[in-house]
Amino acid sequence: MNTLTFRLLEVFQQVVDCGSVTAASNALQLSQPTVSLQLKKLNSIIGLPLIEHFQGSVQLTEAGAAVYRCAQEILSSQDKLKSQISALQGVEVGSLKLAVVTTAKYIIPPMLSPFCKQHPNIDVRFTVGNREQIAERLMQNRDDLYIFTYPPEDDDLVCEPFLANPLVVIAPPDYDGPDNCSLADLQNAKFLLREKGSGTRRTLDEYCDKRDVLLRNNMVIESNEAIRLAVSAGLGLAVLSQHTLDQSAIDSVKVLNVTDFPIQSTWQVVTNRRRPISLSAQAFRQSLLENQRT
């Protein structure tokens, strides 16, 4: 296996991450035949099939999964070495791969903006997805930092809280039902809820379970924005993170005064011990943790 190169691993990782040879060739600015040839060469070196094509998408074989994990570790270490050498030379460069659950997209950009201005040469890749999608990226070790309220349980993860995530009950602007009440007083109202598995839904379900509150009349909507707009249009009540309510949203809905609310969860920045952390990722993680102390 002495002919294995960084370039072969980089091409393979890009094919897996992009999902196709075509997308990977565009990302790498290489021709499709060149990418295909590199994959063929890597398959020959390993001696086992690495990927399979199923319904137009790339699927990893068991050997492919092992090579992919190895590629991530090697290329991450390479990036970290480049950053360290650049730092010694007085030049700040590097990359930061950041993956966040959907509700976190309201809180991370304001924190990321000053960081990018302070470190203009760092290449930031910002991915947003639902909890299941981001957890899958975490299990595949695809990013430097992850933002969750409820990270997956794994001994290899380092989870550090950095910001409160208050949940509030919202109603249409012309709502004239119960207010200054408990959630139990509202349990017969129609609630627009996030999907099972989302952090918001988990916090609400745990609160309801502890107090024997059953929200019988509900509709599941897999988007904070869609829930907010539906509430504004009069379709029902909802429980959302206060971070999702900017000034325009606050003007279009009514925040109810409900006992125990806002209920609290906590945003956590997550790293994987299996992935060497780059200097840029260390710096941004530190900025998040310092935010907690201010």
Side-chain angles (χ1 to χ4, degrees), residues 32-45:
Q32 291 185 40
T34 298
V35 172
S36 297
L37 186 63
Q38 298 275 46
L39 284 179
K40 185 176 180 180
K41 184 175 181 180
L42 183 60
N43 270 285
S44 176
I45 291 170

Side-chain angles (χ1 to χ4, degrees), residues 7 36 53 67-68 75 77 81 112 120 125 129 143 148 163 178 181 191 196 200-201 203 205 231 250 266 271 277 287:
R7 189 56 168 169
S36 297
H53 296 277
V67 173
Y68 181 71
L75 295 175
S77 295
L81 176 60
L112 190 57
R125 302 178 191 180
D143 306 280
F148 291 93
L163 185 69
C181 60
F191 270 83
K196 287 279 189 183
T200 300
R201 181 65 180 271
T203 302
D205 285 350
V231 170
I250 290 174
T266 305
T271 52
I277 186 167
S287 72

Side-chain angles (χ1 to χ4, degrees), residues 151-173:
E153 294 184 5
D154 188 323
D155 291 340
D156 284 328
L157 302 184
V158 179
C159 307
E160 299 172 283
F162 68 92
L163 185 69
N165 181 32
L167 304 186
V168 296
V169 181
I170 60 173

Side-chain angles (χ1 to χ4, degrees), residues 192-211:
L192 313 178
L193 304 177
R194 284 294 305 270
E195 73 281 6
K196 287 279 189 183
S198 77
T200 300
R201 181 65 180 271
R202 178 171 170 175
T203 302
L204 176 61
D205 285 350
E206 290 178 354
Y207 177 87
C208 290
D209 289 345
K210 289 177 182 177
R211 291 160 181 79

